[in-house]
Amino acid sequence: MARWIWKFGEFEIYHNLLLHNRRTQYGWPSPPVWKVYSPDSCVRFTREISGRGGTIRVWARGEFAVTVWQGRRKTEYGGQHEIPLGDGPMRLSVTVSNRESFPCLYVEGGVESDESWLADDLAGSPAPADSCAWFDAPDKAPDVFPFACEPIRYVKKEPVEGGVLFDFGRETFARTHFRFSGVGDYALRFGESREEAMSAQWCVIRREVKGAAGADYDAQAFRYIFSSDAAAEVSAEYEYLPVTYRGAFRCDEAVINDVWDVAAYTFHLNSREFFLDGIKRDRWVWSGDAYQSLFVNRYLFFDRDIERRTLIALAGKPPFEAHINGIVDYTFYWMIGLYEYYETYGDLDLLRRLFPQARRIMAFCRGRVDPDGFVRGRERDWVFIDWAPMDRTGALCGEQVLFSRALQSYGNICALLGEDSEGAAAQADALQKAVLASFWDAEKGAFVDSYESGKRFVSRHSNILACLFLPMDEARRQSLYEHAILNDDVPQITTPYFKFYENLVHCEMGSGEGLEASIREYYGAMLKLGATTLYEQFDPTQSGAEHYAMYGHPFEKSLCHAWSCSPIYLLGRYRAGVKRTGVAYETFEVAPKLGDLKSFDCTVPLPKGQVRVRMDEGGVTVCATAPGGALLLGGSRYELEPGKEISVPSR
Amino acid sequence: MARWIWKFGEFEIYHNLLLHNRRTQYGWPSPPVWKVYSPDSCVRFTREISGRGGTIRVWARGEFAVTVWQGRRKTEYGGQHEIPLGDGPMRLSVTVSNRESFPCLYVEGGVESDESWLADDLAGSPAPADSCAWFDAPDKAPDVFPFACEPIRYVKKEPVEGGVLFDFGRETFARTHFRFSGVGDYALRFGESREEAMSAQWCVIRREVKGAAGADYDAQAFRYIFSSDAAAEVSAEYEYLPVTYRGAFRCDEAVINDVWDVAAYTFHLNSREFFLDGIKRDRWVWSGDAYQSLFVNRYLFFDRDIERRTLIALAGKPPFEAHINGIVDYTFYWMIGLYEYYETYGDLDLLRRLFPQARRIMAFCRGRVDPDGFVRGRERDWVFIDWAPMDRTGALCGEQVLFSRALQSYGNICALLGEDSEGAAAQADALQKAVLASFWDAEKGAFVDSYESGKRFVSRHSNILACLFLPMDEARRQSLYEHAILNDDVPQITTPYFKFYENLVHCEMGSGEGLEASIREYYGAMLKLGATTLYEQFDPTQSGAEHYAMYGHPFEKSLCHAWSCSPIYLLGRYRAGVKRTGVAYETFEVAPKLGDLKSFDCTVPLPKGQVRVRMDEGGVTVCATAPGGALLLGGSRYELEPGKEISVPSR
């Protein structure tokens, strides 16, 4: 079965390049702020043929030249479409050159293009070509990303300030087509909120139409559109990644169901070529944000391919000279995420393909360690962790914790591939010990952000990361939980980004009873104010358009942000209680918990099937369609048989 | 004075990319066969401003966004063309994104774009931007290479085989414009020879016109054009690098004057964005070919910029994973050429800019040394040296010689820049000793190609390279000269490429009397057969169209090849006798020699002037317009005073 093939990584590099060049703000293009790589302009595809070659038909994106080697005899076919190859053995070589998109190839006939072909850039070593099931016909080439599309209509049209305001009822990401009253100059403003669309000064996404009677735009984010032409008409098509909703959740509480639905929609909007941060302004791929999306995806779409694409795009190309997104912690999340990706899907092939770059990335990180073994931000490094006050003096606790976990992940990857990790596991171990020795404040019973400043500042962030990623004894873990996480004197988390990790800690530390309350109070309040997707950040004490301000501007907050979608993960993981225990879910456990709910009915995807968990005060019913599962309930363990429902009444 | 600026290297990378994607053969595109790099799609330009910024006007190729930092205060101007900067101190930052050509920037007004700006790719360290005097106005942007153009006309139009054959009188490189008798399908064939243009099967450069009444083509090589439309008309414009002919040569012998003129024209045709190999088929940049062009350029154009562009383009970008052009020796020539470039122009700035890549290139080479210190071809390496039979078993003598010289050159570069060469000079030294120990065959009195095969094969090539690049005592040098170079039993050199080095050896070893004979017999014979430019190779025993065949095809020999232009260098260097002795010609010597001539009048360029040397049997007259020169004649030394003629009669 022939497929379009390309040099591994180039599909992602190309679409990542397009994506990062699409951002605009206030009517101006807004170029990337980190290095975005370009595809190679020329790739050579080769295939050894032992038997009959037959006749082949060749398609490529770009110019191509076909050469056949029979021993040292070389026959050149140039860019001929149909070629009678004759009998093997022979080596078929097709060089494709393409500066517009990226070199890719489709061959059908006696020999077909697939991952048995090798590809190289005429300098590095040939490696298996990559492909994707989507691109399986000459006219389905990978330089056009195959989004799905469906017409949507505005629900309200309102004459206002001499123009007209369209309201599409909820946030969307859609292609738009405008017809105006005649040829003229018009202003269009796309707002996530009504206020934004009405703000001539601060609306982030806007277009100027010059001397035209109509205009068509690629998909962008909006709920409202203001047109300065009062007689304008607009049609739109929602553009989305075709993906199956494999997870589901319903419980007895409407607001939690609503949050789940809105989270699912928000997450879908942000799941495109890759996992985006938000759909309005950046629409970029941020590694720390994407890391959280991995969690959500596994309880909603279980779409391996988008995780794979995202990890490849973030890895970039050699030389690796700056942290991913310029952020120290984001490089670490990438490495941690790559190993967890393997654990989730058992995809050793991707580890193998990405290993050369993973090695470069780890060498870069290890090359920036200070003599005491700690990483500190160097020139042009962004030490982020979160939008929150922290004592960032010198070595920051959270960075060491993430670095040690990244080292451990890298060590695990090397072990799987039989590669030399150059002592990554030992370095991780030493670093973990050093963190305990340097950052633990016995008096405060928690980790401090910095041991160098002498300020002994305790943040939730350092302690949350330590709790999640740092091995330690239970007494210490309980201590930090009490003194840092349950301690109201420690400043609260304000972003859903770290709220997720905090909730994880609460759930893991056995006191996840506040999960529903947290969802209700934070996301429920957001929905009550009319949110149709989940915001980047939310402060219930604000009112009106205050909610839309961020980064020093009135409408720069993203009202549709991926990092806010964690309830999908948290409910599936800690209410349905589904947890992968073996690689690729060879084994998994179901340990359901009602929490603050009266009943729920939750479906969690598995690689080849799903597990449905229903629970109410009367008991639990579980059914998995794939093997390997066990129900853990009240101290008992029940093996799950595929397709067979198990019901356990409450005691 | 404002100029367009770009990230160092990107101008050359971009034009090199275009150039390598222009090759066609037999009607098909012929993609590159080595890695050709692409420019970064996004570059950030920054400039610290201490005083008043004033108002600036901004032009860019691509989208851009302007940001001004005043301390931590950030003001964003998006892509505005005119910006009032106000007072400093401030940091002006302009990010330019361009996928079509390459990011470049022009700023005029209170602050102007020039090499005081820094540029970076958002990952690596900022480094001084590059610029070129050509690009000094908003409408003179560097993505269009500023070739000059002038109309040329065919000298003959001949109806033939139902079509028409245009003869332009000599080889040229020109844009063409066709008008046909009406809308239709037509075949066009561009031939360096009449036979080639008339060969429907084997003409290398051809175009098919489909359903059109006219056609326009970018510049390409031809002397003859065949059109299948007998009523076709063609107009053409010769396209060339605007460059000054600063060297000149006239002597008493017409054939040598003709060879010089034809060599100058041939060389000019091949001197474009970079030094090309030949203008018809490859029109690519081959490092070994380009290395020889450096010699010729210094006695004809003395154009520093084309050397600089060529060295930058060949260096490529990181990671460096394969030899330049895939050829082991060509990487070594690049390093040798870079150091000689410095010696010629004193351009420490280029050394500094190229050093990071030079270090990667040398690390690559040194990483491929076998435990015995020798380099041997690895997988996918092409061990070339020349189109000639050699004993290529294991370590090849010529490669070691070139490697040791490259190591030495690198060591010199490091010393100039105060960089650590990691013992390059010592490694060069050890390698040179090892070459003497392993490859010298005392019985044969010469170097053998391979010591591993036991065949003790002596080629001219190994001995020529050793003679030119390997330190040794004079007795040994004399021995190899007699036993390998003057020995008719050793197979003759057949390419002008190595003929140049052989002539160098003859001239250096004091027995350069055969220079004129060699020019007469080889090039003179070529001209006698009607060559209007110098061929890639020439065998006087062949006849007719046999002369045009190479690489197994009837017309694949290049009839206009840069490596054949060495007479320009040889006559200036060994007849006028002009030799640089100090860096950048701070000192130079003139040691003229009549050789086999009765008289000559030769002008050789200097960095800031020229030196004219006239000689006949009566004596020598020399005049240099720049200081530092000395005339060496008959054992005497005469200091040259700028602008003052010195005449020394023969004794």
Side-chain angles (χ1 to χ4, degrees):
Chain A
M1 175 73 183
R3 284 180 179 189
W4 282 90
I5 56 173
W6 53 85
K7 176 169 166 272
F8 171 71
E10 299 294 279
F11 171 71
E12 289 79 7
I13 292 292
Y14 174 66
H15 288 287
N16 191 60
L17 176 64
L18 295 190
L19 183 143
H20 279 83
N21 278 288
R22 278 189 204 122
R23 173 172 163 178
T24 65
Q25 55 190 48
Y26 308 119
W28 299 109
S30 192
V33 298
W34 51 72
K35 173 118 185 177
V36 176
Y37 299 85
S38 299
D40 291 316
S41 68
C42 188
V43 168
R44 177 171 49 197
F45 298 92
T46 52
R47 171 75 144 70
E48 301 289 339
I49 299 164
S50 49
R52 271 206 81 235
T55 291
I56 57 169
R57 288 174 300 286
V58 182
W59 288 261
R61 278 288 187 263
E63 313 277 25
F64 68 93
V66 179
T67 308
V68 171
W69 294 88
Q70 288 173 296
R72 297 188 60 88
R73 211 185 115 222
K74 177 182 171 186
T75 313
E76 291 185 294
Y77 293 94
Q80 293 179 44
H81 170 60
E82 190 160 322
I83 300 169
L85 285 183
D87 289 337
M90 67 184 112
R91 186 154 56 89
L92 178 58
S93 165
V94 186
T95 304
V96 182
S97 175
N98 178 350
R99 289 216 314 116
E100 306 297 315
S101 56
F102 64 103
C104 47
L105 178 69
Y106 185 91
V107 178
E108 60 173 38
V111 179
E112 310 213 306
S113 50
D114 57 28
E115 294 186 19
S116 72
W117 289 59
L118 299 178
D120 70 81
D121 66 353
L122 306 171
S125 301
D130 205 5
S131 73
C132 167
W134 283 332
F135 309 112
D136 60 356
D139 62 344
K140 290 197 235 163
D143 52 354
V144 175
F145 199 91
F147 288 114
C149 232
E150 58 191 47
I152 51 171
R153 280 199 54 77
Y154 55 83
V155 296
K156 200 173 144 195
K157 181 178 172 178
E158 176 190 357
V160 55
E161 292 183 13
V164 59
L165 183 71
F166 301 97
D167 176 4
F168 281 74
R170 65 169 179 170
E171 173 105 8
T172 190
F173 195 79
R175 305 172 191 168
T176 48
H177 314 280
F178 295 86
R179 292 284 132 246
F180 302 111
S181 49
V183 172
D185 296 352
Y186 306 105
L188 297 171
R189 297 195 296 265
F190 299 75
E192 289 192 303
S193 63
R194 188 183 203 282
E195 289 85 343
E196 184 181 10
M198 292 312 301
S199 169
Q201 189 178 4
W202 293 114
C203 180
V204 177
I205 308 299
R206 55 178 70 177
R207 305 282 181 162
E208 303 260 313
V209 179
K210 295 278 175 205
D216 299 293
Y217 298 106
D218 287 342
Q220 51 198 341
F222 61 89
R223 171 175 168 179
Y224 298 90
I225 306 175
F226 172 80
S227 160
S228 63
D229 178 15
E233 256 313 331
V234 63
S235 64
E237 292 128 39
Y238 172 46
E239 183 192 278
Y240 60 97
L241 183 74
V243 71
T244 308
Y245 283 63
R246 297 180 56 198
F249 183 85
R250 272 297 166 271
C251 68
D252 60 293
E253 202 175 329
V255 63
I256 292 183
N257 293 338
D258 290 348
V259 168
W260 196 96
D261 290 347
V262 172
Y265 179 58
T266 302
F267 192 69
H268 194 183
L269 284 166
N270 281 288
S271 301
R272 295 176 53 80
E273 299 94 330
F274 315 102
F275 291 124
L276 307 187
D277 60 334
I279 58 172
K280 177 172 72 177
R281 201 195 56 169
D282 292 12
R283 339 182 194 162
W284 284 344
V285 189
W286 296 79
S287 180
D289 305 47
Y291 177 66
Q292 296 200 345
S293 289
L294 303 177
F295 288 78
V296 176
N297 174 56
R298 290 162 196 170
Y299 285 78
L300 182 60
F301 304 135
F302 207 85
D303 185 295
R304 187 198 69 151
D305 287 357
I306 189 174
E307 295 197 17
R308 187 179 187 274
R309 292 196 301 272
T310 302
L311 289 165
I312 295 170
L314 284 169
K317 299 178 103 165
F320 190 85
E321 296 185 316
H323 280 290
I324 296 176
N325 310 126
I327 302 178
V328 181
D329 19 325
Y330 277 26
T331 303
F332 302 148
Y333 283 122
W334 179 84
M335 190 65 79
I336 297 167
L338 177 61
Y339 180 63
E340 291 176 0
Y341 166 89
Y342 162 74
E343 290 189 307
T344 306
Y345 301 102
D347 182 2
L348 212 53
D349 176 69
L350 182 68
L351 290 194
R352 204 172 283 119
R353 289 175 183 263
L354 268 179
F355 184 72
Q357 186 68 353
R359 177 159 49 194
R360 285 180 205 107
I361 290 173
M362 192 39 83
F364 172 83
C365 295
R366 293 168 96 174
R368 290 160 86 91
V369 166
D370 285 328
D372 61 2
F374 292 135
V375 285
R376 290 173 181 82
R378 305 269 179 111
E379 218 194 322
R380 296 194 301 280
D381 282 351
W382 182 5
V383 176
F384 174 59
I385 303 290
D386 192 13
W387 299 116
M390 248 170 279
D391 177 1
R392 293 166 196 265
T393 314
L396 186 63
C397 180
E399 296 290 352
Q400 316 313 317
V401 168
L402 290 170
F403 181 38
S404 76
R405 179 67 160 224
L407 277 164
Q408 213 169 45
S409 301
Y410 179 70
N412 292 341
I413 291 167
C414 289
L416 283 165
L417 299 176
E419 298 280 355
D420 178 11
S421 78
E422 295 175 75
Q427 188 179 350
D429 211 52
L431 181 54
Q432 286 162 355
K433 287 198 178 69
V435 171
L436 292 175
S438 297
F439 291 91
W440 182 257
D441 189 313
E443 203 179 310
K444 291 183 179 278
F447 290 97
V448 295
D449 291 342
S450 162
Y451 69 87
E452 287 166 84
S453 67
K455 291 184 197 158
R456 301 171 60 196
F457 185 80
V458 172
S459 71
R460 280 168 195 269
H461 297 83
S462 295
N463 287 283
I464 287 169
L465 291 174
C467 187
L468 294 175
F469 293 125
L470 194 72
M472 67 184 85
D473 57 63
E474 273 319 298
R476 204 191 290 255
R477 201 179 295 276
Q478 272 303 332
S479 170
L480 76 82
Y481 187 54
E482 278 162 37
H483 296 101
I485 318 292
L486 296 179
N487 180 353
D488 282 344
D489 294 340
V490 174
Q492 294 299 323
I493 300 291
T494 63
T495 61
Y497 176 53
F498 247 78
K499 204 81 184 165
F500 168 48
Y501 292 133
E502 189 179 40
N503 271 321
L504 268 186
V505 169
H506 284 305
C507 293
E508 285 291 335
M509 297 301 290
S511 52
E513 303 303 324
L515 179 57
E516 288 79 10
S518 143
I519 294 177
R520 243 177 249 136
E521 285 156 28
Y522 188 86
Y523 293 107
M526 213 185 281
L527 299 197
K528 207 171 281 175
L529 277 173
T532 61
T533 46
L534 301 179
Y535 299 177
E536 181 173 11
Q537 194 164 18
F538 181 71
D539 178 352
T541 68
Q542 293 180 319
S543 70
E546 278 175 18
H547 285 294
Y548 311 137
M550 204 166 169
Y551 306 113
H553 292 89
F555 303 107
E556 287 200 14
K557 182 178 288 167
S558 160
L559 303 194
C560 178
H561 222 66
W563 74 20
S564 295
C565 303
S566 63
I568 289 175
Y569 171 76
L570 293 167
L571 293 167
R573 172 69 188 82
Y574 294 105
R575 289 299 167 261
V578 177
K579 178 187 178 185
R580 182 195 54 70
T581 51
V583 170
Y585 290 76
E586 210 170 277
T587 56
F588 61 95
E589 292 172 356
V590 183
K593 203 169 167 184
L594 260 184
D596 198 25
L597 301 173
K598 291 208 169 57
S599 70
F600 67 78
D601 178 349
C602 178
T603 300
V604 172
L606 300 171
K608 290 173 185 163
Q610 59 186 56
V611 51
R612 182 174 178 190
V613 185
R614 281 167 289 172
M615 189 174 200
D616 59 23
E617 283 148 355
V620 174
T621 302
V622 179
C623 180
T625 61
L631 171 62
L632 307 189
L633 202 68
S636 300
R637 180 184 173 93
Y638 311 85
E639 300 303 321
L640 295 172
E641 218 174 294
K644 211 165 154 193
E645 208 168 87
I646 275 192
S647 290
V648 181
S650 304
R651 282 187 238 183
Chain B
M1 176 72 182
R3 285 180 178 187
W4 281 89
I5 55 173
W6 53 84
K7 177 170 165 268
F8 171 71
E10 300 293 280
F11 171 71
E12 290 78 7
I13 293 293
Y14 174 66
H15 288 287
N16 190 59
L17 175 65
L18 295 190
L19 182 142
H20 279 84
N21 278 287
R22 278 189 204 123
R23 175 173 162 176
T24 65
Q25 56 190 48
Y26 307 120
W28 298 111
S30 193
V33 299
W34 52 72
K35 172 118 185 177
V36 176
Y37 299 85
S38 298
D40 291 315
S41 68
C42 188
V43 169
R44 176 172 49 198
F45 298 91
T46 50
R47 170 77 144 71
E48 300 289 339
I49 298 164
S50 50
R52 269 203 84 237
T55 292
I56 57 170
R57 289 172 300 286
V58 183
W59 288 260
R61 279 287 188 260
E63 312 276 24
F64 68 93
V66 178
T67 307
V68 172
W69 294 87
Q70 289 173 294
R72 298 188 60 86
R73 211 185 115 220
K74 179 181 172 187
T75 313
E76 292 185 294
Y77 294 93
Q80 294 178 44
H81 170 58
E82 191 160 321
I83 299 170
L85 286 183
D87 289 337
M90 66 183 113
R91 187 153 56 89
L92 178 57
S93 165
V94 186
T95 305
V96 182
S97 176
N98 178 350
R99 290 216 313 115
E100 306 297 315
S101 57
F102 65 103
C104 46
L105 177 69
Y106 185 91
V107 177
E108 59 173 39
V111 180
E112 309 213 306
S113 51
D114 57 29
E115 295 187 18
S116 71
W117 289 59
L118 300 177
D120 70 80
D121 66 352
L122 306 171
S125 301
D130 206 5
S131 73
C132 168
W134 281 333
F135 310 112
D136 60 356
D139 61 343
K140 292 197 235 161
D143 52 353
V144 175
F145 199 90
F147 288 115
C149 232
E150 58 190 48
I152 51 171
R153 281 200 54 78
Y154 54 82
V155 296
K156 200 174 144 193
K157 180 176 173 179
E158 176 189 358
V160 56
E161 293 184 14
V164 62
L165 183 72
F166 300 96
D167 176 4
F168 281 74
R170 64 169 179 171
E171 173 105 7
T172 190
F173 195 79
R175 306 172 189 169
T176 48
H177 314 280
F178 295 88
R179 292 285 131 245
F180 302 113
S181 50
V183 173
D185 296 351
Y186 307 104
L188 297 172
R189 298 195 296 267
F190 298 76
E192 290 192 303
S193 63
R194 189 184 201 284
E195 289 85 344
E196 184 181 10
M198 292 312 302
S199 169
Q201 189 176 4
W202 294 114
C203 179
V204 177
I205 308 298
R206 54 178 73 178
R207 306 282 180 160
E208 304 260 314
V209 179
K210 296 279 175 205
D216 299 292
Y217 298 106
D218 286 342
Q220 52 196 342
F222 61 89
R223 171 176 168 177
Y224 298 91
I225 305 175
F226 173 80
S227 160
S228 63
D229 177 14
E233 255 314 329
V234 63
S235 65
E237 292 128 38
Y238 172 47
E239 183 192 278
Y240 61 97
L241 184 73
V243 71
T244 308
Y245 283 63
R246 297 179 57 198
F249 184 84
R250 272 298 165 272
C251 70
D252 61 294
E253 202 175 329
V255 62
I256 294 185
N257 293 338
D258 290 347
V259 168
W260 197 96
D261 290 347
V262 172
Y265 180 59
T266 302
F267 192 70
H268 194 182
L269 283 165
N270 281 289
S271 301
R272 295 177 54 79
E273 298 94 331
F274 316 102
F275 291 125
L276 307 186
D277 61 334
I279 58 171
K280 178 171 73 177
R281 200 195 56 168
D282 293 11
R283 335 182 197 163
W284 284 343
V285 189
W286 296 79
S287 179
D289 304 48
Y291 177 67
Q292 295 200 345
S293 289
L294 303 178
F295 288 78
V296 177
N297 174 56
R298 291 164 195 169
Y299 286 78
L300 183 59
F301 304 135
F302 206 84
D303 186 297
R304 188 199 69 152
D305 287 357
I306 189 173
E307 296 198 17
R308 187 179 186 274
R309 291 196 301 272
T310 302
L311 289 165
I312 296 170
L314 285 169
K317 298 177 104 165
F320 191 85
E321 297 185 317
H323 279 291
I324 296 176
N325 311 126
I327 302 179
V328 182
D329 20 326
Y330 277 26
T331 303
F332 303 149
Y333 284 122
W334 179 85
M335 190 66 80
I336 297 168
L338 177 61
Y339 180 63
E340 292 176 359
Y341 166 88
Y342 161 74
E343 291 189 306
T344 306
Y345 300 101
D347 182 2
L348 211 53
D349 175 69
L350 182 68
L351 291 193
R352 204 171 284 122
R353 289 174 182 264
L354 268 178
F355 184 73
Q357 185 69 352
R359 176 159 51 192
R360 284 181 205 106
I361 290 173
M362 192 37 82
F364 173 83
C365 295
R366 293 168 95 174
R368 291 160 85 92
V369 167
D370 286 329
D372 61 1
F374 292 135
V375 287
R376 290 172 180 81
R378 305 271 178 110
E379 217 193 321
R380 296 194 300 281
D381 282 351
W382 181 5
V383 177
F384 174 59
I385 302 290
D386 192 12
W387 299 117
M390 251 170 277
D391 178 2
R392 292 166 198 266
T393 313
L396 185 62
C397 180
E399 296 290 354
Q400 316 315 315
V401 168
L402 290 171
F403 181 38
S404 75
R405 180 67 160 222
L407 276 165
Q408 214 168 45
S409 301
Y410 178 70
N412 293 342
I413 290 168
C414 289
L416 283 165
L417 299 176
E419 298 280 354
D420 178 12
S421 77
E422 296 175 73
Q427 188 179 349
D429 210 53
L431 181 54
Q432 285 161 355
K433 289 198 175 72
V435 171
L436 293 174
S438 296
F439 292 93
W440 182 258
D441 189 312
E443 203 179 310
K444 291 182 178 277
F447 289 98
V448 295
D449 291 343
S450 163
Y451 68 89
E452 288 166 83
S453 67
K455 290 184 196 156
R456 300 172 59 197
F457 184 81
V458 172
S459 70
R460 281 169 195 269
H461 298 82
S462 295
N463 287 283
I464 286 169
L465 290 174
C467 188
L468 294 175
F469 293 123
L470 194 72
M472 66 184 83
D473 57 64
E474 273 319 299
R476 204 191 290 256
R477 200 179 297 277
Q478 272 304 332
S479 169
L480 77 80
Y481 186 55
E482 279 162 35
H483 296 104
I485 317 292
L486 296 179
N487 180 352
D488 283 345
D489 294 342
V490 175
Q492 293 299 322
I493 299 293
T494 62
T495 61
Y497 175 54
F498 247 78
K499 204 82 184 165
F500 168 48
Y501 293 134
E502 190 179 40
N503 270 322
L504 267 187
V505 169
H506 284 306
C507 292
E508 286 291 336
M509 297 301 290
S511 53
E513 304 302 323
L515 179 58
E516 288 78 10
S518 143
I519 293 176
R520 245 176 249 134
E521 284 156 28
Y522 188 86
Y523 293 106
M526 216 187 274
L527 299 197
K528 209 171 279 174
L529 277 173
T532 60
T533 47
L534 301 179
Y535 298 178
E536 179 174 12
Q537 195 163 20
F538 180 73
D539 179 351
T541 68
Q542 294 180 319
S543 69
E546 278 174 18
H547 286 294
Y548 311 137
M550 204 166 168
Y551 307 112
H553 292 88
F555 304 108
E556 288 200 14
K557 182 179 289 168
S558 160
L559 302 193
C560 178
H561 221 67
W563 74 21
S564 295
C565 302
S566 64
I568 289 175
Y569 171 76
L570 293 166
L571 292 168
R573 171 70 188 81
Y574 294 104
R575 288 301 168 258
V578 178
K579 179 186 176 186
R580 182 194 55 71
T581 50
V583 170
Y585 289 75
E586 208 170 282
T587 56
F588 62 95
E589 293 172 355
V590 182
K593 205 170 167 183
L594 260 185
D596 200 24
L597 301 173
K598 291 208 169 58
S599 70
F600 67 79
D601 178 350
C602 178
T603 300
V604 172
L606 301 172
K608 290 173 183 163
Q610 57 186 56
V611 51
R612 183 173 177 190
V613 185
R614 281 167 289 172
M615 189 173 200
D616 60 22
E617 284 149 354
V620 174
T621 302
V622 179
C623 181
T625 62
L631 170 64
L632 307 189
L633 201 69
S636 300
R637 180 185 173 91
Y638 311 83
E639 300 304 321
L640 296 171
E641 218 173 297
K644 211 165 152 191
E645 209 169 86
I646 276 193
S647 291
V648 181
S650 304
R651 283 186 239 185

